Amino acid sequence: MNHDNYDDSYIRGILNTAKTIAMVGVSANTSRPSYFAFKYLLERGYHMIPVNPGLAGQELLRQKVYGSLADIPEPIDMVDIFRASQYALGIMQEALALKPRPQVIWMQLGVRNEEAAKLAEANGLKVVMNRCPKIEYGRLSSEIAWMGVNTRTISAKKAQLSGRGIQRMGLNRVTMAGGTTDATMRAQKADESGR
């Protein structure tokens, strides 16, 4: 797979199907990017599991912090690596030892490890490198368009309010680059049937 460019449908598919995300290297420092990304994804409804050996046993945004992936007592859909590139292979090997295995290995902005990516793909996992799921979610949902950023995502539909009365954009949108997705088609059919 070409890890320099990803189709919007590939990224959207991951963000639509991953429900439980373990973020390795998350920080409790509120000014760190890992804290922002963790909080953002948690607020979007993902079950976020913080992994940081220095914070193990504590809570971060009401989520128990674990020292390693192996310590997490539940299945993980995606491992989000917020560590330097040289640590990605070791984290990847730890992820492969999990039962069941996660479906996705996501390496944050600036994190690339070709060896880890090849190992993951050889074992049937999807891989994303040098991208941030927070940024990709914001781009694909058009949330960052509120700030004037061209997301290449178009929709005339008004965003639905979340259960807390907050406007949240969904990932079920048409993009100029990626076309429609299964989720978009399901949403359109639901709208047409009056649900």
Side-chain angles (χ1 to χ4, degrees):
M1 166 170 251
N2 177 0
H3 290 289
D4 293 322
N5 294 299
Y6 300 99
D7 287 340
D8 285 350
S9 59
Y10 180 75
I11 299 293
R12 185 183 282 108
I14 290 170
L15 294 174
N16 272 330
T17 57
K19 304 295 180 214
T20 301
I21 302 173
M23 185 179 285
V24 179
V26 66
S27 175
N29 182 337
T30 58
S31 64
R32 299 295 303 236
S34 63
Y35 180 89
F36 288 129
F38 186 89
K39 185 175 189 285
Y40 179 92
L41 294 171
L42 184 65
E43 290 174 348
R44 297 313 177 277
Y46 292 98
H47 175 44
M48 297 298 294
I49 301 173
V51 179
N52 183 323
L55 302 173
Q58 299 178 34
E59 284 195 353
L60 179 65
L61 296 170
R62 298 189 191 139
Q63 310 303 308
K64 182 178 178 182
V65 181
Y66 293 92
S68 69
L69 292 174
D71 295 338
I72 299 170
E74 61 187 285
I76 302 163
D77 298 322
M78 182 171 108
V79 175
D80 183 8
I81 301 175
F82 234 115
R83 298 282 322 270
S85 298
Q86 67 263 29
Y87 300 108
L89 181 59
I91 295 166
M92 178 64 243
Q93 291 166 335
E94 188 179 351
L96 287 176
L98 297 175
K99 300 286 186 245
R101 288 180 177 165
Q103 302 161 359
V104 179
I105 299 296
W106 190 301
M107 298 179 218
Q108 280 288 341
L109 285 173
V111 181
R112 283 188 75 101
N113 187 307
E114 298 295 335
E115 189 178 355
K118 287 178 186 172
L119 180 61
E121 290 172 337
N123 283 279
L125 280 63
K126 292 183 178 179
V127 176
V128 177
M129 293 194 289
N130 193 28
R131 298 285 174 102
C132 176
K134 173 191 178 293
I135 293 170
E136 293 302 308
Y137 186 103
R139 182 179 69 80
L140 293 170
S141 69
S142 296
E143 283 184 5
I144 62 173
W146 295 342
M147 296 181 283
V149 176
N150 180 1
T151 64
R152 299 185 331 264
T153 303
I154 54 175
S155 176
K157 293 178 83 172
K158 182 179 176 186
Q160 296 180 346
L161 295 179
S162 72
R164 296 176 291 191
I166 299 169
Q167 186 176 14
R168 293 279 186 237
M169 305 292 242
L171 292 170
N172 301 330
R173 300 201 171 277
V174 177
T175 61
M176 293 164 50
T180 59
T181 65
D182 291 339
T184 304
M185 298 305 289
R186 285 192 306 274
Q188 289 172 346
K189 287 178 184 176
D191 286 344
E192 291 169 4
S193 68
R195 284 200 253 162

